[in-house]
């Protein structure tokens, strides 16, 4: 009998189901795009039933295409995006669409909390910042705007926990998702009743999932889920972690001298600490399933999804050309950018297409009639690296900041040698890339491996399942050029924000 692990990763754009062996090798992957429901400006939702259906379809296809016997599965573990929320009734049925972490409907609510002083009380209690797609703020919005939804809700569930409930009926969460949700005091490592008291919404407390360790088998696949997925009834189901933490585990992120970087929809930077840090104040802070460390994370929606938008919007001909050559359009993008690296590029790109709260307009600056597609692509690559440097600097500044000397890198740009080198040059740290492509799912599978007893600890699982494959060292001459561009990038952002805010104030005054 072969021993296999399955990791599920329900991310912002795709739901993926991935098969691994106990050495951490990715054997097969099935994926489906997730439909986004946009009912109103700022609302970003998902049909939870459709997401579960995608998981079921992917699982059946994965087993059939690989010829894997359901009896070979040692454990299955879900993961998914942090923040957002799924609200279900006592039968586990969604009472409304799930909300994705990129949702911004709570911005006016957060502004009110800052004005009333509630934010000042909340932040030291949850030991994280407040942000629009955070579960805590979304629960407050539901109480105010959809009281009938609140009344019908029996359970509040993060993404992975909703999927695990469907697999085996378990209602719980882990310490990583609980912290990401803003529901916990990280120091006490428990649900913060104080936070819910500050917001006058104690009614939610009985509906919250109780947090526990990630590396625990919490049940077996139910008879119904077995019929729907093709899995064997009773297959062990592990609690797991949310995707940012999963990516950290899958890249061997385990010490304070490392900076974990994920370049995807969000620009994500994380450091490890022995206790929570408030200076700098991270976007998200939670317990990490290695040596009881705390992971501090800065996250903004400013990363590689900007390239995806550009490719889909402007590169129809290039997509067709890449297909004719039997290659990915993103491989073609890498070729085009590589061809520009011997010449200067003064174009600035501001990667704020999804980052309305920051108040900085997205777009290009400095183009001329001589600018070509390859030049614009390189500007995107460098602009994304620049905003990562900006966020990294914020996370690494302050008396409680970590002092890492190497990056562990994940996300789409990790598959591009030219983009990875730009990141190393711009951020001024060696960059290391480990084995595997679907790292959120791999981190989930690693939790399953520990829970099932294949490894004695997560550190042990890292040694057995994570291998360093590539390393990029900053190029001194290129770094000098990029740092000069970074200074121009920052100056332009600050000027743009000031002008944007002036225009918004003028528009409000005129409307009044």
């Amino acid at each position: 009998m072969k021993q296999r692990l399955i990791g599920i990763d329900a991310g912002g754009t795709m739901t993926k189901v991935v098969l691994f062996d106990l050495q951490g090798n990715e054997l097969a992957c099935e994926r489906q795009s997730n439909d986004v429901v946009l009912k109103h400006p700022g609302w970003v939702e998902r049909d939870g039933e459709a997401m579960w259906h995608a998981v079921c379809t992917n699982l059946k296809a994965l087993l059939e295409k690989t010829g894997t016997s359901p009896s070979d599965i040692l454990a299955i573990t879900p993961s998914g995006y942090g923040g957002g929320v799924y609200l279900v009734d006592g039968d586990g049925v969604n009472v409304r669409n799930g909300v994705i972490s990129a949702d911004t409907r709570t911005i006016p609510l957060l502004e009110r909390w800052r004005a009333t002083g509630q934010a000042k009380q909340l932040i030291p209690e949850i030991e994280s910042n407040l942000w629009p797609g955070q579960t805590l703020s979304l629960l407050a919005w539901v109480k105010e705007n959809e009281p009938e939804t609140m009344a019908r809700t029996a359970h509040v569930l993060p993404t992975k926990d909703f999927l695990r409930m469907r697999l085996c009926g378990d209602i719980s969460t882990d310490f990583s998702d609980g912290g990401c949700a803003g529901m916990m005091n990280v120091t006490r490592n428990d649900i913060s009743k104080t936070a819910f008291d500050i917001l006058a919404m104690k009614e939610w407390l009985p509906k919250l999932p109780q947090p526990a360790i990630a590396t625990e088998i919490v049940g077996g696949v139910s008879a119904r889920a077995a019929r729907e997925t093709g899995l064997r009834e009773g297959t062990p189901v592990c609690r797991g972690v949310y995707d940012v933490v999963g990516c950290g585990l899958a890249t061997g992120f385990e010490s304070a001298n490392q900076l974990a970087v994920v370049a995807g929809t969000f620009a994500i930077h994380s450091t490890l600490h022995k206790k929570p840090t408030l200076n700098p104040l991270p976007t998200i802070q939670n317990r990490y399933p290695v040596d009881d460390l705390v992971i501090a994370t800065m996250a903004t929606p400013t990363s590689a999804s900007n390239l995806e938008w550009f490719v889909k919007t402007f590169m129809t001909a290039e997509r067709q050309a890449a297909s004719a050559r039997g290659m990915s359009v993103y491989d073609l993008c890498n070729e085009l950018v590589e061809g520009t690296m011997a010449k200067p590029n003064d174009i600035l790109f501001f990667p704020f297409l999804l980052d309305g709260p920051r108040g900085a307009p997205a777009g290009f600056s400095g183009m001329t009639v001589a600018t070509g597609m390859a030049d614009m692509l390189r500007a995107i690559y460098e602009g994304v690296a620049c905003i990562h440097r900006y966020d990294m600097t914020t996370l690494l500044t302050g008396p409680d900041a970590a002092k890492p000397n190497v990056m562990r890198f994940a996300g789409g740009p990790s598959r591009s040698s030219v983009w990875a080198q730009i990141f190393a040059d711009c951020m001024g740290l060696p960059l290391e890339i480990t084995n595997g492509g679907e790292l959120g799912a791999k981190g989930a599978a690693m939790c399953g491996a520990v829970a099932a007893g294949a490894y004695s600890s997560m550190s042990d699982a890292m040694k057995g399942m994570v291998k360093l494959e590539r390393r990029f060292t900053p190029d001194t001459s290129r770094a000098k050029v990029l740092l000069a561009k970074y200074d121009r990038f920052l100056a332009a952002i600050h000027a743009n924000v000031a002008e944007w805010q002036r225009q918004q104030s003028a528009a409000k005054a005129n409307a009044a």
Side-chain angles (χ1 to χ4, degrees):
M1 175 176 139
K2 299 175 182 177
Q3 290 188 310
R4 298 288 185 252
L5 302 161
I6 291 179
I8 301 169
D9 184 8
T13 57
M14 305 281 288
T15 294
K16 295 157 281 190
V17 174
V18 192
L19 185 70
F20 299 91
D21 63 22
L22 287 179
Q23 289 70 50
N25 297 307
E26 187 176 307
L27 304 178
C29 175
E30 291 292 323
R31 55 178 63 85
Q32 286 192 43
S33 296
N34 293 312
D35 291 331
V36 177
V37 181
L38 305 171
K39 287 185 176 181
H40 304 285
W43 291 31
V44 189
E45 299 184 346
R46 176 177 300 169
D47 182 342
E49 298 299 328
M51 180 174 66
W52 169 244
H53 179 72
V55 168
C56 294
T57 301
N58 287 344
L59 281 167
K60 283 185 176 180
L62 187 77
L63 296 173
E64 291 173 4
K65 290 181 180 179
T66 60
T68 300
S69 169
S71 62
D72 290 342
I73 306 303
L74 190 63
I76 180 168
T77 312
S79 183
Y81 62 85
V85 71
Y86 290 83
L87 304 175
V88 302
D89 63 19
D91 295 321
V93 177
N94 289 277
V95 299
R96 72 173 325 279
N97 281 332
V99 182
I100 298 177
S101 52
D103 193 280
T104 59
R105 75 186 71 187
T106 67
I107 289 176
L109 188 67
L110 298 182
E111 291 174 349
R112 192 174 78 219
W113 290 352
R114 294 185 184 100
T116 61
Q118 288 169 298
K120 191 174 182 179
Q121 294 176 277
L122 278 169
I123 286 171
E125 174 59 25
I126 65 172
E127 298 170 310
S128 297
N129 214 329
L130 299 170
W131 48 286
Q134 191 176 42
T135 309
L136 184 69
S137 60
L138 289 166
L139 294 179
W141 184 92
V142 170
K143 180 183 176 181
E144 287 191 10
N145 295 276
E146 297 181 1
E148 69 287 354
T149 296
M150 183 178 181
R152 292 174 58 203
T153 298
H155 303 293
V156 174
L157 295 173
T159 310
K160 77 171 194 317
D161 303 313
F162 168 74
L163 294 175
R164 192 182 60 257
M165 175 199 68
R166 287 298 178 89
L167 283 167
C168 69
D170 175 67
I171 302 288
S172 68
T173 192
D174 81 298
F175 298 125
S176 75
D177 245 328
C180 180
M183 301 188 304
M184 295 184 63
N185 176 277
V186 183
T187 297
R188 297 193 302 269
N189 207 25
D190 202 358
I191 296 292
S192 173
K193 295 180 181 178
T194 301
F196 285 83
D197 188 35
I198 291 168
L199 297 175
M201 54 181 205
K202 287 186 174 181
E203 305 96 320
W204 281 116
L205 287 171
K207 305 173 189 286
L208 302 181
Q210 291 304 303
I213 64 170
T215 52
E216 182 179 15
I217 299 298
V218 297
V221 170
S222 68
R224 177 177 177 178
R227 291 192 300 270
E228 293 176 324
T229 63
L231 293 168
R232 178 177 57 84
E233 183 179 353
T235 299
V237 181
C238 174
R239 183 171 287 115
V241 293
Y242 87 96
D243 59 1
V244 170
V245 173
C247 285
L249 298 175
T251 57
F253 177 52
E254 60 178 338
S255 70
N257 75 318
Q258 298 169 310
L259 172 71
V261 180
V262 182
T265 301
F266 280 72
I268 299 171
H269 306 84
S270 302
T271 52
L272 292 174
H273 306 261
K274 291 183 178 179
K275 61 181 181 179
T277 169
L278 292 179
N279 190 358
L281 177 67
T283 312
I284 301 165
Q285 194 153 219
N286 48 262
R287 294 282 174 162
Y288 192 68
V290 177
D291 298 333
D292 200 31
L293 293 169
V294 171
I295 179 171
T297 299
M298 190 74 67
T300 58
T302 53
S303 194
S305 55
N306 286 272
L307 174 64
E308 183 180 10
W309 164 83
F310 187 83
V311 167
K312 289 181 177 178
T313 306
F314 299 108
M315 297 184 66
T316 301
E318 286 78 9
R319 293 201 306 270
Q320 293 171 349
S323 179
R325 292 173 57 186
M327 64 189 301
S328 163
V329 67
Y330 295 101
D331 290 335
L332 179 59
C333 289
N334 294 331
E335 278 188 8
L336 292 170
V337 173
E338 186 71 52
T340 72
M341 298 306 292
K343 65 178 184 179
N345 184 312
D346 294 327
I347 305 168
L348 295 176
F349 175 72
F350 308 110
F352 304 122
L353 288 165
L354 298 177
D355 196 23
R358 193 177 299 227
F364 293 90
S365 174
M367 294 192 297
T368 71
V369 293
T371 298
M373 181 71 73
D375 303 309
M376 296 173 73
L377 286 169
R378 178 172 157 192
I380 293 173
Y381 280 35
E382 292 180 342
V384 169
C386 282
I387 200 63
H388 272 265
R389 181 181 175 90
Y390 178 84
D391 289 348
M392 173 193 75
T393 302
T394 303
L395 183 63
L396 300 184
T397 301
D400 301 331
K403 305 296 180 187
N405 55 29
V406 66
M407 289 185 285
R408 284 292 171 102
F409 195 51
S414 70
R415 294 187 283 273
S416 164
S417 293
V418 64
W419 209 348
Q421 186 63 56
I422 287 172
F423 264 85
D425 295 340
C426 188
M427 298 179 77
L429 289 173
L431 182 152
E432 297 178 340
I433 298 171
T434 55
N435 61 316
E438 299 297 343
L439 298 181
K442 182 173 179 177
M446 291 169 68
C447 290
V450 175
Y455 291 96
S456 61
S457 66
M458 187 56 69
S459 293
D460 191 29
M462 286 181 179
K463 292 182 178 67
M465 299 179 74
V466 180
K467 302 174 184 66
L468 182 62
E469 288 192 335
R470 290 178 288 162
R471 180 181 171 92
F472 296 82
T473 303
D475 179 278
T476 305
S477 59
R478 273 293 304 150
K480 183 178 179 180
V481 172
L482 267 176
L483 287 180
K485 190 169 190 176
Y486 175 71
D487 290 340
R488 291 174 48 229
F489 176 84
L490 287 187
I493 287 174
H494 295 151
N496 286 343
V497 169
E499 176 59 21
W500 185 261
Q501 291 174 342
R502 186 194 68 77
Q503 292 178 12
Q504 295 297 306
S505 296
K508 288 181 181 178
N510 291 335

